[in-house]
Amino acid sequence: MPHRRTISSASQQPDSGRPATVDLADGEPGEQDEEACRQVLRILSLIGDKWSILIIGKLRDRTLRFGELHRAVTGVSQRMLTLTLRQLERDGLLTRTVHPSVPPRVDYALTELGGTLLDSVVALGEWAVAHRREIDDNRRRYDATHPPLTRS
Amino acid sequence: MPHRRTISSASQQPDSGRPATVDLADGEPGEQDEEACRQVLRILSLIGDKWSILIIGKLRDRTLRFGELHRAVTGVSQRMLTLTLRQLERDGLLTRTVHPSVPPRVDYALTELGGTLLDSVVALGEWAVAHRREIDDNRRRYDATHPPLTRS
DNA sequence: CTGCATCCCTTTGGATACTG
DNA sequence: CAGTATCCAAAGGGATGCAG
């Protein structure tokens, strides 16, 4: 029987309650760590949105101000940049510093927490880079043999 | 000056062209590895959607048929299960085997590629588990001090 | 310069009904 | 059982205009 790959909370302060062994699959409603699992998924969804990772990546090695970020991230709209930055600030992944000057100047910097997330995401990115050819090949092969997927 | 965290394509066959060093941040339009970067992001978006990870997690250690998956993943609709399974099959992360019996029976199994992705995602999940308390604390603190975020 | 508010179009995804 | 098709509601996100 193959190994079961599980997530166990390694670091941080001792868990004050449940076993704290969460596998990525969710359980039936009512299972003990369903809540923990949902929480993990909610955090993982940070990765899902279009801009968070890009922004964190840009702040990798230096503080940037709003306008610099706006230019750095290429396709992002002002609205989404603001919203995403607020989320990331709320989660404690970056800090927002307002300089009371005129014109106003706001600096964004990655926190320690944000840095560790970036490390983890980079690891996943390595997987993507390592397998992108394989995946593209798979897709081409699939598209060639299986005609239309969700045809308009 | 802190280290620059970068992604470099480690395994696979030698890259047939560019340096193949992709950092997570995208470049200005026209930069060499913009395409590669977009591709990586596209793959990372696998993580973003609600169901892919859950499904892959369920197939971790055994083959499941459609109905089993449907019951296993809890909140997924039949429609989304089908669509997500097709995507994953297209990418080569799982295999779909139709048994010509009556009533029909379709088995889904994780491929080698899918298994390695799961390993990487589990690593990210470990980060989430390790820091979920910290993040929750940050959010509470933020909400307490910064009144309404995007008020209705 | 930074950022909030509004409008509006696009995408996502659930519910439901129907087929091989 | 394992889908496919249709309809529809909610969320995502761009463009623009205004404010501190």
Side-chain angles (χ1 to χ4, degrees), chain A residues 5 24 123-129 131 134-135 139, chain B residues 40 42-49 52-57 88 91-94 110-125:
Chain A
R5 305 184 200 82
L24 223 43
L124 193 62
E126 281 170 1
W127 182 93
V129 171
H131 296 95
E134 190 175 352
I135 290 179
R139 289 180 176 174
Chain B
V40 169
R42 204 191 48 191
I43 291 173
L44 287 183
S45 76
L46 265 179
I47 312 307
D49 81 69
S52 296
I53 299 303
L54 255 15
I55 291 172
I56 290 176
L88 296 176
D91 290 344
L93 298 178
L94 54 78
L110 213 58
T111 60
E112 165 70 18
L113 184 62
T116 63
L117 173 59
L118 182 58
D119 286 334
S120 297
V121 172
V122 164
L124 192 63

Side-chain angles (χ1 to χ4, degrees), chain A residues 43 45-47 49 52-53 55-57 59-60 84-96 108-118 121, chain B residues 127 131 134-136 138-139 142:
Chain A
I43 291 173
S45 76
L46 266 179
I47 313 307
D49 81 68
S52 297
I53 299 304
I55 291 172
I56 290 176
L59 292 174
R60 177 171 41 190
T84 308
L85 286 171
R86 286 294 178 283
Q87 287 295 326
L88 296 177
E89 184 195 2
R90 187 169 100 105
D91 290 343
L93 268 38
L94 54 77
T95 58
R96 175 172 180 271
Y108 293 91
L110 214 59
T111 60
E112 165 70 18
L113 184 61
T116 64
L117 173 58
L118 183 56
V121 172
Chain B
W127 182 93
H131 295 97
E134 189 177 352
I135 290 179
D136 278 340
N138 289 336
R139 289 180 174 174
Y142 185 96

Side-chain angles (χ1 to χ4, degrees), chain A residues 18 20-21 46 70 74 78 83-84 87 98 101 112 122 136:
Chain A
R18 289 156 304 166
T21 302
L46 266 179
H70 197 182
T74 310
Q78 198 180 47
L83 289 178
T84 308
Q87 287 295 326
V98 181
S101 57
E112 165 70 18
V122 164
D136 278 340

Side-chain angles (χ1 to χ4, degrees), chain B residues 37-112:
Chain B
C37 180
R38 294 291 171 197
Q39 225 167 1
V40 169
L41 283 178
R42 204 191 48 191
I43 291 173
L44 287 183
S45 76
L46 265 179
I47 312 307
D49 81 69
K50 227 171 164 182
W51 306 115
S52 296
I53 299 303
L54 255 15
I55 291 172
I56 290 176
K58 288 299 183 187
L59 292 174
R60 176 171 40 193
D61 38 30
R62 86 181 196 80
T63 290
L64 292 174
R65 34 190 306 190
F66 186 89
E68 292 177 312
L69 269 174
H70 196 180
R71 283 185 297 277
V73 175
T74 310
V76 71
S77 65
Q78 197 180 46
R79 171 185 144 88
M80 288 316 296
L81 182 56
T82 303
L83 290 178
T84 308
L85 285 171
R86 287 293 181 286
Q87 287 296 325
L88 296 176
E89 184 196 2
R90 187 169 99 105
D91 290 344
L93 298 178
L94 54 78
T95 58
R96 175 172 181 272
T97 311
V98 181
H99 295 90
S101 56
V102 44
R105 173 200 180 93
V106 182
D107 284 336
Y108 292 91
L110 213 58
T111 60
E112 165 70 18

